[in-house]
Amino acid sequence: MSALCSDKGVDTVRFRWRGDSDTYKEFQRRPEGYVQGYRGEAFTQTKLGRIGVYPDGLVYLEGRAAAILSGDNENHSLLPVHGLSSAERVARIFVQDSGARVPDEVARLGRVDLAAELRFGDPREGSAFLHSLASLDVPWCKSRVDGRKGDHIETVSFHGIRGATIYLRAYDKGVESGTDKVGTRIRVERQKRYRKTRELLPDDFAVTDIRKAYLGREFKLLSDLPSAVVCDLPEALVVLRDRLLPWQQMERLGGYLCFGQWIDYPRMTHYRRLAELRELGIFVDPTQRERIEVPVGQYLQTLASAWAA
């Protein structure tokens, strides 16, 4: 492997306090004004994140955890999990100074984004890692690719099948921040959201099994994946030939690779062929000029292991 986990920590966080209806009315009278959102929400965008207040008195601050703790909105670093309690204390004072009266008690966590970064020695492998993630068949999820430009992918995200909730997002942090070449820094971010009945205190979250929370049920099995080969169509045929598969499977998949773009396959047949190729660790990317073997499972294990340390 040409990559190591270079950083880990909390990126975006949402602190929640529960006040009363008077809090909502007071916030609406703030001299700086507010924006009216859905379900009666009144919110404003501040230097440390978004502050929102609902008619029932629910108040939240959502922003980058490290920026909240430091009071610097230019701080894009990742905050260690044990720093959440300190960030909450700063957030509580900031929210009160911004016109949202909240109880003098520790906030609950409504959202925590756990992020870890892979730094690749070979940038081509970093780009191929994103391509292979985009092609994975993840249980309970559907994937989406954003920021595709030429032969590069900037972001791959996995969403719930029945909703817009994002479970995991992998993106080229070097490109986003303008600090590194394409494929050098890939950040894999697990977005955890909690309903009222499952909210945790910052100190309680810090002692949970972070590794388990990071992988979740959706990605636990993917950490056992073998290496994935990312290649163009002609090279996929070569990889298929080298696998020494039964002739029936060779004929079935070889025919699909050669003529799939011209044959109007039934939808389920098309999905079965793609799933069969994925099980063999073959991911076809028409823009990939040379074969690159990506140890997807090992990279996910490396990221998860960083949280066990």
Side-chain angles (χ1 to χ4, degrees):
M1 299 195 308
S2 73
L4 297 173
C5 183
S6 60
D7 197 10
K8 66 172 184 178
V10 177
D11 190 359
T12 300
V13 65
R14 178 184 297 159
F15 294 115
R16 286 179 182 160
W17 300 267
R18 285 182 166 79
D20 51 39
S21 57
D22 289 339
T23 301
Y24 181 71
K25 297 174 184 176
E26 291 174 10
F27 188 78
Q28 289 180 312
R29 292 194 294 267
R30 64 194 301 270
E32 299 86 353
Y34 66 94
V35 179
Q36 192 69 47
Y38 294 107
R39 293 182 296 170
E41 177 193 4
F43 69 89
T44 184
Q45 192 67 38
T46 71
K47 65 176 184 178
L48 297 185
R50 174 164 163 161
I51 297 176
V53 184
Y54 285 93
D56 63 356
L58 174 66
V59 181
Y60 73 85
L61 169 63
E62 179 172 303
R64 294 191 305 277
I68 293 173
L69 180 59
S70 65
D72 178 10
N73 64 340
E74 296 299 323
N75 188 341
H76 290 265
S77 61
L78 299 176
L79 182 71
V81 173
H82 60 74
L84 282 173
S85 293
S86 298
E88 188 278 333
R89 289 192 290 271
V90 174
R92 195 185 326 156
I93 296 172
F94 179 76
V95 166
Q96 291 173 339
D97 291 343
S98 299
R101 179 173 52 84
V102 296
D104 191 20
E105 58 186 39
V106 178
R108 301 278 175 165
L109 296 172
R111 171 183 175 180
V112 180
D113 289 1
L114 297 170
E117 282 188 11
L118 287 171
R119 183 173 287 274
F120 287 84
D122 184 351
R124 296 173 303 171
E125 191 170 349
S127 296
F129 176 57
L130 284 178
H131 279 288
S132 59
L133 283 179
S135 303
L136 289 179
D137 187 8
V138 181
W140 306 290
C141 291
K142 54 185 178 182
S143 62
R144 188 177 75 192
V145 176
D146 297 304
R148 184 187 290 272
K149 184 176 181 182
D151 58 349
H152 302 304
I153 290 178
E154 187 173 326
T155 303
V156 179
S157 54
F158 295 92
H159 302 250
I161 293 177
R162 295 184 178 85
T165 300
I166 298 177
Y167 292 125
L168 185 137
R169 188 166 71 106
Y171 58 100
D172 197 319
K173 183 62 178 178
V175 172
E176 184 204 53
S177 60
T179 57
D180 290 279
K181 296 179 180 179
V182 172
T184 302
R185 288 173 61 199
I186 304 299
R187 178 174 288 188
V188 181
E189 188 174 271
R190 176 71 171 187
Q191 299 187 7
K192 301 288 293 182
R193 288 173 169 80
Y194 299 97
R195 296 181 179 179
K196 180 180 179 180
T197 55
R198 296 184 178 182
E199 291 174 335
L200 296 174
L201 294 169
D203 284 342
D204 293 336
F205 182 83
V207 297
T208 59
D209 187 341
I210 305 296
R211 181 184 185 277
K212 182 178 179 180
Y214 184 76
L215 280 177
R217 66 170 186 169
E218 298 88 1
F219 302 97
K220 183 179 180 181
L221 295 177
L222 297 184
S223 63
D224 296 326
L225 278 177
S227 295
V229 177
V230 182
C231 54
D232 60 11
L233 185 56
E235 192 65 25
L237 289 168
V238 176
V239 175
L240 192 63
R241 181 202 63 190
D242 294 342
R243 293 298 172 87
L244 301 177
L245 302 170
W247 69 266
Q248 298 94 331
Q249 190 176 22
M250 293 277 286
E251 183 179 60
R252 180 170 61 250
L253 295 180
Y256 173 77
L257 289 171
C258 289
F259 305 108
Q261 58 183 318
W262 293 293
I263 296 177
D264 187 17
Y265 281 99
R267 184 173 63 174
M268 294 310 299
T269 302
H270 171 69
Y271 289 158
R272 282 197 298 269
R273 298 290 185 272
L274 288 176
E276 201 170 352
L277 287 168
R278 286 195 295 265
E279 289 175 1
L280 294 171
I282 301 174
F283 301 91
V284 180
D285 174 17
T287 66
Q288 187 65 44
R289 297 184 178 87
E290 61 184 45
R291 180 198 306 190
I292 295 183
E293 193 161 339
V294 186
V296 178
Q298 291 183 49
Y299 283 141
L300 291 175
Q301 288 177 14
T302 298
L303 291 167
S305 297
W307 292 104

